[in-house]
Coordinates of all heavy atoms in Angstrom, one line a residue:
F84 N 12.8 -5.2 -12.2 CA 11.5 -4.7 -11.8 C 11.7 -3.7 -10.7 O 11.0 -2.7 -10.7 CB 10.7 -5.9 -11.3 CG 9.4 -5.5 -10.6 CD1 8.4 -4.9 -11.3 CD2 9.3 -5.5 -9.2 CE1 7.2 -4.5 -10.6 CE2 8.2 -5.1 -8.5 CZ 7.1 -4.6 -9.2
R85 N 12.5 -3.9 -9.7 CA 12.7 -3.0 -8.6 C 13.2 -1.6 -9.1 O 12.8 -0.6 -8.5 CB 13.7 -3.5 -7.5 CG 13.2 -4.8 -6.8 CD 11.9 -4.6 -6.1 NE 11.4 -5.9 -5.5 CZ 10.2 -6.1 -5.2 NH1 9.3 -5.1 -5.3 NH2 9.8 -7.2 -4.7
N86 N 14.0 -1.6 -10.1 CA 14.5 -0.4 -10.7 C 13.3 0.4 -11.3 O 13.2 1.6 -11.1 CB 15.5 -0.6 -11.8 CG 16.2 0.6 -12.3 OD1 16.5 1.5 -11.5 ND2 16.3 0.7 -13.6
I87 N 12.5 -0.3 -12.1 CA 11.3 0.3 -12.7 C 10.3 0.8 -11.5 O 9.8 2.0 -11.6 CB 10.5 -0.7 -13.5 CG1 11.3 -1.1 -14.7 CG2 9.2 -0.1 -14.0 CD1 10.8 -2.3 -15.5
E88 N 10.2 0.0 -10.5 CA 9.3 0.4 -9.4 C 9.8 1.6 -8.7 O 9.0 2.5 -8.4 CB 9.3 -0.8 -8.4 CG 8.4 -0.6 -7.2 CD 8.4 -1.8 -6.3 OE1 9.5 -2.3 -5.9 OE2 7.4 -2.4 -6.1
R89 N 11.1 1.7 -8.4 CA 11.7 2.9 -7.8 C 11.4 4.2 -8.6 O 11.0 5.2 -8.0 CB 13.2 2.7 -7.5 CG 13.8 3.8 -6.8 CD 15.3 3.5 -6.4 NE 16.1 3.4 -7.6 CZ 16.6 2.2 -8.1 NH1 16.3 1.1 -7.4 NH2 17.3 2.2 -9.1
K90 N 11.7 4.1 -9.9 CA 11.5 5.3 -10.7 C 10.0 5.7 -10.7 O 9.7 6.9 -10.7 CB 12.0 5.0 -12.1 CG 13.5 4.9 -12.2 CD 13.9 4.6 -13.6 CE 15.4 4.5 -13.7 NZ 15.9 4.0 -15.1
T91 N 9.1 4.7 -10.7 CA 7.7 5.0 -10.8 C 7.3 5.7 -9.5 O 6.5 6.7 -9.5 CB 6.9 3.7 -10.9 OG1 7.3 3.1 -12.2 CG2 5.4 4.0 -11.0
I92 N 7.7 5.2 -8.3 CA 7.4 5.8 -7.0 C 8.0 7.2 -6.9 O 7.3 8.1 -6.5 CB 7.8 4.8 -5.9 CG1 6.9 3.6 -5.9 CG2 7.8 5.6 -4.5 CD1 7.4 2.5 -5.0
L93 N 9.2 7.3 -7.3 CA 9.9 8.7 -7.2 C 9.1 9.7 -8.0 O 9.0 10.8 -7.6 CB 11.3 8.6 -7.6 CG 12.3 7.8 -6.7 CD1 13.7 7.7 -7.3 CD2 12.3 8.4 -5.3
R94 N 8.7 9.3 -9.2 CA 7.9 10.2 -10.0 C 6.7 10.7 -9.4 O 6.4 11.9 -9.4 CB 7.6 9.5 -11.3 CG 7.1 10.4 -12.4 CD 7.0 9.7 -13.7 NE 5.8 8.8 -13.8 CZ 5.8 7.6 -14.1 NH1 7.0 6.9 -14.4 NH2 4.7 6.9 -14.2
H95 N 6.0 9.8 -8.7 CA 4.7 10.2 -8.0 C 4.9 11.0 -6.7 O 4.1 11.7 -6.3 CB 3.8 9.0 -7.8 CG 3.2 8.5 -9.1 ND1 3.7 7.5 -9.8 CD2 2.2 9.0 -9.8 CE1 3.0 7.3 -10.9 NE2 2.0 8.2 -11.0
L96 N 6.1 10.8 -6.1 CA 6.4 11.6 -4.9 C 6.7 13.0 -5.3 O 6.6 13.9 -4.4 CB 7.6 11.0 -4.2 CG 7.4 9.6 -3.5 CD1 8.7 9.1 -2.9 CD2 6.3 9.7 -2.4
Q97 N 7.1 13.3 -6.5 CA 7.4 14.6 -6.9 C 6.2 15.4 -7.4 O 6.3 16.7 -7.6 CB 8.5 14.6 -8.0 CG 9.8 14.1 -7.5 CD 10.7 13.7 -8.7 OE1 10.4 13.7 -9.8 NE2 12.0 13.3 -8.3
G98 N 5.1 14.8 -7.6 CA 3.9 15.5 -8.0 C 3.0 15.9 -6.9 O 3.4 15.9 -5.7
P99 N 1.7 16.2 -7.2 CA 0.7 16.6 -6.2 C 0.5 15.5 -5.2 O 0.7 14.3 -5.5 CB -0.5 16.9 -7.1 CG -0.1 17.1 -8.5 CD 1.2 16.2 -8.6
A100 N 0.0 15.9 -4.1 CA -0.3 14.9 -3.0 C -1.3 13.9 -3.4 O -2.4 14.2 -4.0 CB -0.7 15.6 -1.7
V101 N -1.0 12.6 -3.2 CA -1.9 11.5 -3.5 C -1.9 10.5 -2.4 O -1.1 10.6 -1.5 CB -1.5 10.8 -4.9 CG1 -1.6 11.8 -6.0 CG2 -0.1 10.2 -4.8
I102 N -2.7 9.4 -2.5 CA -2.6 8.3 -1.7 C -1.9 7.2 -2.6 O -2.5 6.9 -3.7 CB -4.0 7.7 -1.2 CG1 -4.8 8.8 -0.5 CG2 -3.8 6.5 -0.3 CD1 -4.1 9.4 0.7
L103 N -0.8 6.8 -2.2 CA 0.0 5.9 -3.0 C 0.2 4.5 -2.4 O 0.8 4.4 -1.3 CB 1.4 6.5 -3.3 CG 2.4 5.7 -4.1 CD1 1.9 5.5 -5.5 CD2 3.8 6.5 -4.2
S104 N -0.3 3.5 -3.1 CA -0.1 2.1 -2.6 C 1.1 1.5 -3.4 O 1.2 1.7 -4.6 CB -1.4 1.3 -3.0 OG -1.1 -0.1 -2.8
T105 N 2.0 0.9 -2.6 CA 3.2 0.4 -3.2 C 3.3 -1.1 -3.2 O 2.6 -1.8 -2.4 CB 4.5 1.0 -2.5 OG1 4.4 0.5 -1.1 CG2 4.5 2.5 -2.5
G106 N 4.1 -1.7 -4.0 CA 4.3 -3.2 -4.0 C 5.0 -3.6 -2.7 O 5.7 -2.8 -2.0
G107 N 4.8 -4.9 -2.3 CA 5.3 -5.3 -1.0 C 6.8 -5.2 -0.8 O 7.2 -5.0 0.3
G108 N 7.6 -5.2 -1.9 CA 9.1 -5.1 -1.7 C 9.6 -3.7 -1.9 O 10.8 -3.5 -1.7
A109 N 8.8 -2.8 -2.3 CA 9.2 -1.4 -2.6 C 10.0 -0.7 -1.5 O 11.0 -0.1 -1.7 CB 8.1 -0.6 -3.1
F110 N 9.4 -0.8 -0.3 CA 9.9 -0.1 0.9 C 11.2 -0.7 1.4 O 11.9 -0.2 2.2 CB 8.9 -0.1 2.0 CG 9.1 1.0 3.0 CD1 8.9 2.4 2.6 CD2 9.4 0.8 4.3 CE1 9.1 3.4 3.5 CE2 9.5 1.8 5.3 CZ 9.3 3.1 4.9
C111 N 11.6 -1.9 0.8 CA 12.8 -2.6 1.2 C 14.0 -2.1 0.5 O 15.2 -2.5 0.8 CB 12.6 -4.1 1.1 SG 11.2 -4.7 2.0
S112 N 13.8 -1.3 -0.6 CA 14.9 -0.7 -1.3 C 15.3 0.5 -0.5 O 14.5 1.4 -0.3 CB 14.5 -0.3 -2.7 OG 15.3 0.7 -3.2
P113 N 16.6 0.6 -0.1 CA 17.0 1.7 0.7 C 16.8 3.1 0.1 O 16.4 4.0 0.7 CB 18.5 1.5 0.9 CG 18.7 0.0 0.8 CD 17.6 -0.4 -0.2
E114 N 17.0 3.1 -1.2 CA 16.9 4.4 -2.0 C 15.4 4.8 -2.0 O 15.0 6.0 -1.8 CB 17.4 4.3 -3.4 CG 17.4 5.6 -4.1 CD 18.0 5.5 -5.5 OE1 18.6 4.4 -5.8 OE2 17.7 6.4 -6.4
T115 N 14.5 3.8 -2.3 CA 13.1 4.1 -2.4 C 12.6 4.5 -1.0 O 11.8 5.4 -0.9 CB 12.3 2.9 -2.9 OG1 12.9 2.5 -4.2 CG2 10.9 3.2 -3.1

Side-chain angles (χ1 to χ4, degrees):
F84 170 73
R85 295 300 174 200
N86 186 46
I87 296 168
E88 180 179 58
R89 182 174 63 254
K90 290 177 179 176
T91 301
I92 290 170
L93 292 177
R94 190 172 79 233
H95 286 100
L96 289 178
Q97 292 165 354
V101 298
I102 307 300
L103 177 61
S104 167
T105 60
F110 203 65
C111 303
S112 157
E114 186 180 345
T115 305

